[in-house]
Each structure stands twice: as structure tokens, then as C-alpha cells.
Amino acid sequence: MRIWIGCDHAGFERKREIIEMLQARDDVEVTDCGCDGERVDYPVIAKAVATAVADHPGDRGILICGTGIGMSIAANKIRGVRAALCADAFSAKYTRLHNDANVLCMGARTLGSGVSLELTEIFLDTPFEGGRHEARVQMITELEQEW
Ligand code: RB5
């Protein structure tokens, strides 16, 4: 699985930790879309990661800013992206099972390192349940086309 990851200045240190964890796995390939610690406006990085995920169905994205909120709002503007802001394990699990979320957003100022790493693993390792949830995800896709 290919992972596109990005952060703003507030999320830089946390992104470094997540990349380190991902590189220790042999089932993921990580591409870092910035930033490198410099001040950057989060929509720039959200666009880079979200468009990469939208262009490569099956890939996943991870975005980190201070709260994760700005990244999630911006990423969800890109067609085909279902970005989920998560702060707990249950949400990270169920946004994969039910929403087929393809981008995980987290706040570096709201979550500790251990929780962020755990949510990342859950997000990567939980499959989409499909079934009755297919039609609901399809309705989201239709909203994108309609609006
Ligand atoms: C940057 O100070 C901060 O606004 C940003 O990281 C993020 O929290 C926005 O949602």
C-alpha cells in the first residue's frame, strides 16, 4: 500500500515519528509531501496529499496539523477523498469499516505521540466492510458530482 503523508509546521515532528514507524513496516511505501519544518499554509499540503490519493485509487493519505481540522476541511474539497479527523481508536476503526476513509487527519497539538501512532496503524490495517456501506459511500460520491 502506498501512503502519501504531509504536515504543516505544527505537525512536523509528529510526521517524522509516523514516517519512522511506517518505514519499519514492509507492507507500505511512504511518500513525504512536505513540509520540512518550515512555516507553511496547511491547504497547500492538504492539496498535495489529497490529489495524490485521488489520482491513485487504493492509496491512502495521512495529514497532520495543529488540530487536524484545517487539513481535513481542505482535503475533503478534493473529489474522491474521504478524509477523517480522528482522535480515538474507535473512530479510526469505524471510518475505515463504514466510510472507506482514504485520508487520516490528526492534530499534533491535541494528540500524544502514542495515540497518533496507534490510530495510524488502525487506519492502515482495517479494511472497508462494504455491504450496506457501499451505497452510502456511493451517495457521497454522487454529492461530489452534484455540487
Ligand atoms: C497552524 O498554527 C494551525 O492553524 C494549523 O496547524 C491547524 O491547526 C489548522 O487547522
Side-chain angles (χ1 to χ4, degrees):
M1 184 192 304
R2 186 160 41 173
I3 314 294
W4 306 85
I5 189 167
C7 66
D8 70 357
H9 46 281
F12 178 67
E13 184 52 32
R14 186 60 47 79
K15 182 184 72 173
R16 199 191 55 70
E17 294 171 353
I18 293 172
I19 289 176
E20 196 176 289
M21 182 197 81
L22 293 175
Q23 285 175 337
R25 292 176 55 139
D26 55 14
D27 58 344
V28 297
E29 178 197 332
V30 195
T31 302
D32 187 353
C33 298
C35 73
D36 296 320
E38 75 281 10
R39 292 194 79 78
V40 63
D41 298 320
Y42 59 81
V44 173
I45 303 294
K47 181 182 176 187
V49 168
T51 54
V53 170
D55 285 345
H56 301 92
D59 288 5
R60 306 260 177 92
I62 299 173
L63 286 166
I64 307 129
C65 65
T67 59
I69 296 172
M71 287 293 197
S72 61
I73 292 171
N76 276 315
K77 300 298 179 193
I78 306 300
R79 278 195 185 89
V81 167
R82 291 177 299 281
L85 172 61
C86 294
D88 64 276
F90 188 90
S91 299
K93 178 178 174 183
Y94 277 85
T95 199
R96 285 292 309 133
L97 286 172
H98 288 187
N99 314 127
D100 198 14
N102 50 13
V103 175
L104 172 66
C105 301
M106 294 182 287
R109 292 173 177 157
T110 57
L111 296 181
S113 171
V115 173
S116 305
L117 297 175
E118 182 188 14
L119 300 190
T120 300
E121 290 198 305
I122 292 168
F123 177 74
L124 297 184
D125 295 337
T126 307
F128 177 45
E129 195 175 296
R132 68 186 189 281
H133 302 292
E134 290 275 8
R136 294 165 183 163
V137 172
Q138 179 58 30
M139 289 168 78
I140 295 172
T141 303
E142 286 163 14
L143 280 175
E144 290 174 339
Q145 289 157 0
E146 197 178 334
W147 294 92

